[in-house]
């Protein structure tokens, strides 16, 4: 079960997510990581909430990885 990354309320620091980095937007290649900061201020965004991962990479959340 995965949640969409378009709503800010679904995303919290420490969660595991798949993001698309700016340079990967054309290909749609995703990068998995742990959320450090939420960068989008609005409650939702059609392309996904922008976050900074623990390793410093910035991108838009495509998918939230649910721990089973």
């Amino acid at each position: 079960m995965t949640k969409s990354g378009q709503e800010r309320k679904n995303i919290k620091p420490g969660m595991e997510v798949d993001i698309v980095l700016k340079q990967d937007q054309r290909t749609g290649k995703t990068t998995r990581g742990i959320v450090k900061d939420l960068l989008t201020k609005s409650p939702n965004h059609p392309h996904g909430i922008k976050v900074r991962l623990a390793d410093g990479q910035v991108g838009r959340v495509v998918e939230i990885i649910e721990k089973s």
Side-chain angles (χ1 to χ4, degrees), residues 12-27:
K12 308 244 178 320
M15 292 177 107
E16 190 175 13
V17 294
D18 282 343
I19 65 167
V20 174
L21 302 171
K22 183 91 175 142
Q23 65 266 28
D24 295 332
Q25 280 175 350
R26 290 223 270 320
T27 62

Side-chain angles (χ1 to χ4, degrees), residues 1 5 16 18 21-22 25 30-31 59-60 63 66-67:
M1 156 89 192
E16 190 175 13
D18 282 343
L21 302 171
K22 183 91 175 142
Q25 280 175 350
T30 61
T31 303
R60 294 199 181 274
E63 217 168 24
E66 298 282 343
K67 297 284 181 238

Side-chain angles (χ1 to χ4, degrees), residues 38-58:
L38 278 75
L39 304 177
T40 300
K41 296 287 183 238
S42 64
N44 48 48
H45 191 285
H47 301 126
I49 299 298
K50 191 178 275 186
V51 298
R52 180 179 294 116
L53 299 181
D55 63 5
Q57 296 184 95
V58 172

